[in-house]
Amino acid sequence: WGSEGAIERLVDLLDHKRGALLTSGYEFPGRYARWSLGFVNPPLEISGTGSRCKITALNARGQVLLEPVLEAMNRLKDSGVLSKVSLDEDVVEVEVVPPSEVGSFSEEERSRQPSLFSVVRSLVDLFGYSSDELGDLQLGLYGAFGYDLTFQFEPIRKSQERDPTQRDILLYLADEIVVVDQSRHSSWTVSLDFSYKSKSTKGLPHDCEPAPFLAFEHNPRNEGKFSARDTPKGDFTRSVDRAKHEFKMGNLFEAVLSQTFREKLDKETPPSVLFRRLRSRNPSPYGFLINLGEDEYLVGASPEMFVRCEKVENNEYRAGAIRVET
């Protein structure tokens, strides 16, 4: 496909397959690099809302990984981080214990209190590998974190209604990753297999159940309901005026005001079309297109770097650890 063809192929596939594409279109020493990567058909999905989390096998390859995942979650339960761990067919379900009372731990320990991040850290430890031995495999958890994860660390009174089905976290473990070096006009695929005890993913298919885009009029979840905005006209202006007053009074030093606008998407305007339009009209160093399943997508472009990884330290291999093979 070539470098550009590899990216465009992923853009098209993400209309109907779970996965992610992360692009970079600029190069500047020390900040921007023209590297892009993406994948579809991940074997595992990690999703969570509030204190509950599910690790789901999306295909036969993911089923091989459920046993070590279940054992890792049981270790978290034994350590007092989880109150519940269960396996139901292709899903490991867990529940995090309530956080400790504020004031019973130091500020430095706040982000280490039991939360959905405890589950993520455990999975990172489980799938960690030595880059000195295997090179840079691009193995990782890719996806999105919701703003409501803040409530995992701080007991804040909620004043806005929330959709009980809205997920706070959605991550994928990718095992076949397309990497593009746009400065050299080259691309390649990193294919990974995992083995645990007597089981292996070698030879197992990557295909997953499709997660297709549904136009508004064809999506039964909408129930014909539509609201073009979440803020009545004029309310946002009044919020800005109030914030400016509070700044003058010294009650605020920073405020992030927002409002949501909505447009119906028809079958001629899938997420891939939005991504390409955005990329053309608003060229930015970073772009992303993620199919989160359940007819939910993230499409965007930004001048800001989301994550910078300077150094990663891995634990030594322990008995029963997953083995990663290229």
Side-chain angles (χ1 to χ4, degrees):
W1 304 301
S3 58
E4 290 300 324
I7 292 176
E8 297 308 312
R9 175 178 176 272
L10 281 171
V11 172
D12 290 330
L13 288 174
L14 288 169
D15 275 340
H16 55 91
K17 291 180 178 290
R18 288 178 173 84
L21 171 64
L22 307 175
T23 66
S24 177
Y26 287 78
E27 186 166 15
F28 187 83
R31 182 161 181 82
Y32 299 130
R34 296 176 66 94
W35 288 81
S36 300
L37 61 85
F39 62 90
V40 293
N41 292 331
L44 287 182
E45 173 189 276
I46 301 95
S47 65
T49 301
S51 62
R52 299 177 180 272
C53 186
K54 295 181 179 180
I55 301 100
T56 304
L58 298 177
N59 55 24
R61 300 172 66 82
Q63 291 170 355
V64 172
L65 303 176
L66 282 186
E67 183 181 353
V69 166
L70 181 63
E71 292 179 3
M73 295 302 104
N74 279 324
R75 287 194 292 269
L76 274 186
K77 183 181 179 182
D78 293 342
S79 68
V81 173
L82 302 179
S83 61
K84 174 186 174 183
V85 177
S86 64
L87 174 63
D88 183 10
E89 295 184 351
D90 294 337
V91 182
V92 173
E93 296 189 53
V94 305
E95 186 168 353
V96 181
V97 301
S100 302
E101 184 178 349
V102 175
S104 63
F105 51 86
S106 67
E107 182 63 28
E108 290 75 17
E109 296 174 325
R110 182 184 298 275
S111 64
R112 290 287 175 175
Q113 297 305 301
S115 69
L116 292 181
F117 287 109
S118 304
V119 176
V120 173
R121 292 190 190 100
S122 177
L123 294 174
V124 169
D125 290 341
L126 178 65
F127 290 99
Y129 66 95
S130 172
S131 58
D132 291 337
E133 295 181 13
L134 300 177
D136 187 0
L137 303 181
Q138 308 293 342
L139 177 62
L141 300 176
Y142 298 87
F145 297 107
Y147 284 113
D148 277 9
L149 285 172
T150 304
F151 301 123
Q152 303 269 319
F153 307 110
E154 190 75 32
I156 301 173
R157 181 176 60 85
K158 299 176 183 177
S159 58
Q160 302 291 334
E161 291 186 9
R162 277 158 171 84
D163 182 349
T165 65
Q166 180 62 50
R167 296 167 292 179
D168 296 331
I169 183 172
L170 193 290
L171 300 172
Y172 294 127
L173 176 76
D175 62 356
E176 191 170 63
I177 306 159
V178 176
V179 184
V180 177
D181 181 352
Q182 286 146 288
S183 63
R184 297 185 178 181
H185 302 286
S186 61
S187 65
W188 58 94
T189 299
V190 179
S191 295
L192 306 173
D193 278 300
F194 303 91
S195 59
Y196 185 73
K197 296 181 179 178
S198 61
K199 298 180 180 179
S200 173
T201 62
K202 276 190 175 180
L204 295 179
H206 289 267
D207 291 342
C208 299
E209 286 293 320
F213 163 74
L214 295 176
F216 182 87
E217 63 270 20
H218 298 142
N219 192 334
R221 298 176 61 187
N222 294 326
E223 299 179 345
K225 300 176 182 178
F226 179 76
S227 176
R229 58 193 300 167
D230 68 344
T231 307
K233 192 172 182 179
D235 277 16
F236 188 79
T237 299
R238 286 188 285 273
S239 296
V240 172
D241 291 338
R242 181 182 175 186
K244 290 167 68 176
H245 174 73
E246 297 297 334
F247 282 128
K248 290 179 181 179
M249 297 295 293
N251 297 327
L252 284 178
F253 65 91
E254 182 178 355
V256 180
L257 304 177
S258 67
Q259 57 182 328
T260 301
F261 296 93
R262 302 180 180 92
E263 291 287 344
K264 297 179 182 179
L265 296 180
D266 56 32
K267 63 181 181 180
E268 305 300 327
T269 317
S272 60
V273 171
L274 293 182
F275 179 73
R276 288 183 171 113
R277 286 179 182 174
L278 182 61
R279 186 176 58 183
S280 173
R281 298 177 185 179
N282 183 35
S284 298
Y286 301 106
F288 53 92
L289 171 58
I290 308 177
N291 183 337
L292 300 169
E294 299 183 13
D295 199 37
E296 185 176 8
Y297 297 78
L298 279 182
V299 182
S302 173
E304 299 296 331
M305 182 180 294
F306 298 136
V307 178
R308 180 193 293 272
C309 183
E310 299 288 355
K311 182 180 180 181
V312 177
E313 295 182 1
N314 296 294
N315 296 327
E316 294 296 325
Y317 283 116
R318 59 180 181 274
I322 288 179
R323 181 176 179 182
V324 185
E325 304 169 351
T326 57

